[in-house]
Amino acid sequence: MNFESLLNSQERGSNARILGLSAADNPYADSDAEGRHEDERNVLYEAWAFGWEMEDTVRRIDTGIYGFLRVEAALAGLSAPRT
């Protein structure tokens, strides 16, 4: 396993959150996930969960693009887009 694998797993977790999957949908939770060794699976599990949590945090504190659009809309006197 390399650094790129960790980043890929984080990105997959983030994308899963964007698509509406829950944290419990982590594909590395299964002990036989893609035939990986337990240590490698645990590291990828944590990376996926980290990506999911980061995306979830951004969405909860409104620092993403949608928060920016709300501020811009408010300044322009427009109704804000709904998320």
Side-chain angles (χ1 to χ4, degrees):
M1 180 178 39
N2 57 28
F3 186 69
E4 195 170 302
S5 296
L6 290 174
L7 292 178
N8 184 36
S9 185
Q10 284 182 359
E11 184 177 7
R12 289 177 66 190
S14 176
N15 289 339
R17 173 59 184 91
I18 290 169
L19 294 172
L21 298 174
S22 74
D25 292 321
N26 189 327
Y28 301 105
D30 182 16
S31 61
D32 293 330
E34 300 175 16
R36 299 180 187 274
H37 294 293
E38 186 176 349
D39 291 340
E40 182 178 353
R41 182 186 55 82
N42 287 339
V43 170
L44 292 173
Y45 175 90
E46 292 296 326
W48 189 96
F50 180 78
W52 191 96
E53 288 291 337
M54 291 300 295
E55 184 64 33
D56 188 58
T57 300
V58 166
R59 289 173 178 275
R60 281 189 287 125
I61 61 174
D62 235 13
T63 59
I65 185 67
Y66 299 113
F68 173 75
L69 290 174
R70 282 193 191 113
V71 171
E72 288 296 311
L75 291 174
L78 304 172
S79 62
R82 297 189 184 269
T83 57

